[in-house]
Amino acid sequence: MAPAAMTFASSLSDAQPVSFWLDDPAKPGALPALTGDEHCDLLVIGGGYSGLWTALLAKERDPGRDVVLIEGHEVGWAASGRNGGFCAASLTHGLGNGLARWPGELAKLEELGGRNLDAIEAAVAAYSIDCDFERTGEIDVATEPHQLEELHETYEEASRLGFTGLELLDQDAVRAEVNSPTFLGGLWDRRGVAMLHPARLAWGLKQACQDLGVRIYENTRGTELAASGAGTAVRTPYGRVFARSVALGTNVFPSLVRRVRAYTVPVYDYALMTEPLTAEQLAAIGWKRRQGLGDSANQFHYFRITADHRILWGGYDAIYPYGGRVSPEMDHRPETYLKLASHFFDCFPQLEGVRFSHAWGGAIDTCSRFSAFFGTAHGGKVAYAAGYTGLGVGATRFGAEVMLDLLSGEQTERTELEMVRKKPLPFPPEPVAWAGIGLTKWALARADANGGRRNVWLKAMDRIGLGFDS
């Protein structure tokens, strides 16, 4: 191994193979599994953000509604406890994607996204959820000249559309915020993103649901869904739940509505967490305002600073397992950890000698349009939302509102959206999906190395609206 690689490897020698967020003494104990039969008005399947927000909002809308939530493992253990803690207002995976797909309703989507983030902040306060919520915003940074041009174009387009809150930063200005020799400029969304402790948000929502009377069963996987009289019946390992309606918040895991499965693929994303930085190390990088950051490459990194002055560094590799199989074996990938460590020290050479305390991965539910899709089944008695593609910390609350709207049968400002009424293109079956995703990843890497120029394959994917992202 080359000396540089040895240095990167040594920085990982003490890293625990577990999500930093889940390795927390505040983690609550597991609730008992369901045994026997249960009856309720609304059954929520999935104990991540999607299911938790759905259960909470259902009780807020109608305190008398009898709500049960089942979770196959423990609340928050999957993507909700493994992500970077970026809670974004965007419902469209960024302005550019929204403009490309829903130009006629982008203004409405931006308004709804802003209201949704405000509502999350209000809920954190109202339910006293201790999750280090900070409305610091996020800076998209350019590390290549073509990325700087793209940030300028995004800023000009946002200004033309009347969107405010963005600040364009030149090289000196961005390095005054966070000091990296790789930064050429940035675009700071000052209010559209909050930083938080993702697992503590999930645990806080769990407690809020219980306080409102939601009955939660952990280690209770829904294995089969079928019609039962005027409602539905969901089988679990030790019992059944009979419900008038069902909301599916299973996201990356195979949907109990089989036809939905083709619309998502699991993409594995990985992250590192440093040890706490010293006062001298903090001074070397600045970062006093604690914004989230992400670079502007196709294969991008996201990074942020925690309440105890660690740096989370994640992204870049997006690994699709053949056949779309979600497996615990994929949760760790040492070759990606080594790659991430080398990129970290390229970005922050002044932090040489810093070590990583945690290294982990997890699966993201990716769809071809990069933002959530919605629908119903079983005659409107079952609703689902999935495909958040890495922006689910904030958008899942909006998805919960949509699922409850759909189950009620009422027409709302959300159900009228084209985003809600239409679905993305499904992914093709294997081995075509494996080959197509592999070719797309190769083409994206080539574009990053070639001044952002997209080849024939990527242009064709753009034209038909089929994409791949983490």
Side-chain angles (χ1 to χ4, degrees), residues 89 91 107-117 398 413-414 417:
L91 304 175
K108 185 64 175 178
L109 288 166
E110 289 289 301
E111 176 202 342
L112 288 169
R115 283 161 45 191
N116 184 64
L117 182 55
F398 174 81
E413 60 182 346
R414 291 175 288 266
L417 293 168

Side-chain angles (χ1 to χ4, degrees), residues 259-274:
R259 68 172 182 269
V260 176
R261 297 180 184 179
Y263 291 100
T264 63
V265 294
V267 174
Y268 276 83
D269 179 62
Y270 300 90
L272 306 177
M273 185 71 85
T274 72

Side-chain angles (χ1 to χ4, degrees), residues 119-201:
I120 292 172
E121 184 172 17
V124 166
Y127 292 105
S128 301
I129 298 175
D130 178 15
C131 64
D132 301 331
F133 188 98
E134 298 180 281
R135 194 96 173 240
T136 58
E138 179 182 6
I139 303 176
D140 290 332
V141 295
T143 58
E144 298 288 345
H146 74 271
Q147 297 170 10
L148 193 58
E149 295 173 11
E150 292 166 1
L151 291 183
H152 279 262
E153 291 171 2
T154 299
Y155 177 76
E156 291 167 2
E157 186 65 27
S159 299
R160 184 185 68 80
L161 295 170
F163 300 143
T164 60
L166 300 181
E167 181 179 347
L168 200 59
L169 306 176
D170 63 15
Q171 180 172 289
D172 290 340
V174 72
R175 292 185 185 180
E177 295 297 330
V178 184
N179 184 19
S180 168
T182 67
F183 293 174
L184 304 179
L187 186 61
W188 185 0
D189 182 351
R190 283 184 169 269
R191 291 285 298 166
V193 183
M195 297 291 107
L196 52 76
H197 186 305
R200 288 189 181 182
L201 174 62

Side-chain angles (χ1 to χ4, degrees), residues 77 105 161 174 177 203 224 231 284 373 404 421 437 445 455 466:
W77 77 279
E105 59 186 31
L161 295 170
V174 72
E177 295 297 330
W203 300 333
E224 183 182 349
F373 63 91
L404 292 171
R421 292 185 289 105
I437 289 172
N455 65 13
L466 186 62

Side-chain angles (χ1 to χ4, degrees), residues 2 5 9 41 61 72 91 95 107 122 132 136 159 169 189 200 204 222 241 265 281 324 343 352 393 420 460 465:
D41 297 323
R61 289 186 182 194
L91 304 175
L95 188 66
D132 301 331
T136 58
S159 299
L169 306 176
D189 182 351
R200 288 189 181 182
V241 184
V265 294
Q281 290 166 335
H343 296 170
E352 181 181 357
V393 180
V420 172

